[in-house]
Amino acid sequence: AEFLSLADQLEALPEQAWDTPSLCEGWRTREVVAHMTMPVRYSPEQFMTELRDCDGDFTRLSNRVASRDAKLPTSTLVDDLRDDALHEWTPPGGGRLGALNHVVIHGLDATVPLGLKRGAPQESVRIILDGLTAGGAHEHFGFDIRGLALQATDMDWSYGSGKPVRGSAGDLALLLCGRTLPPGRIQGEL
């Protein structure tokens, strides 16, 4: 449902909007979507071949594929978001939670700079926030939550104690994933 919702939003964009810088450093909307939809275009064997070619460096692989596949027509990228193969995909070692995190966070990476309201169901965002905090996944992104009291302003969710940090649930999830948000989206000292 998240991939389909994102496809509907992005399909309506004018072509030049796809060149809007995303919250992923160095990537525009088109690179984010190209990255998200890799499982549609690459078999596990093709992925592993490319990963070996990048000396096992997933970031290098992601940048290479995103740059290359961002040149695809935007209609192809939207169709890939709708592809059933993507809807069954789970990241290695990440399972269904990893897939949910992938689509929601990268969906926000693309839509926040575009000024689009991304409407992931609250329960999906709650699952992601719980996984990023209680599950410790935030550490992977280099965000330290010690001494912070995180509180969502658009749903009943909070975590931790200390200095208050408030924002929408989606913005808090982006913050926990190490994203730099536009000014005014997060209230509190970090």
Side-chain angles (χ1 to χ4, degrees), residues 44-158:
E45 295 78 20
Q46 290 170 311
F47 174 85
M48 291 308 295
T49 298
E50 290 233 22
L51 186 59
R52 280 190 297 278
D53 190 44
C54 290
D55 300 320
D57 184 333
F58 180 74
T59 301
R60 192 168 136 207
L61 167 70
S62 293
N63 286 328
R64 174 193 287 180
V65 171
S67 176
R68 179 178 64 221
D69 291 0
K71 296 173 184 145
L72 291 167
T74 56
S75 60
T76 299
L77 295 172
V78 168
D79 287 346
D80 287 351
L81 284 169
R82 292 187 172 117
D83 194 292
D84 288 339
L86 185 61
H87 305 169
E88 298 302 318
W89 168 83
T90 58
R96 302 302 285 166
L97 179 58
L100 180 62
N101 190 308
H102 184 75
V103 65
V104 171
I105 296 301
H106 282 316
L108 290 166
D109 285 333
T111 57
V112 165
L114 289 165
L116 300 175
K117 183 167 175 59
R118 197 66 191 105
Q122 284 189 350
E123 193 52 39
S124 295
V125 180
R126 181 184 315 282
I127 290 168
I128 290 168
L129 286 168
D130 288 345
L132 288 168
T133 53
H138 65 280
E139 294 170 357
H140 173 74
F141 300 103
F143 189 81
D144 187 359
I145 61 175
R146 290 176 295 179
L148 298 179
L150 304 173
Q151 183 179 16
T153 56
D154 57 346
M155 63 186 265
D156 184 22
W157 184 89
S158 62

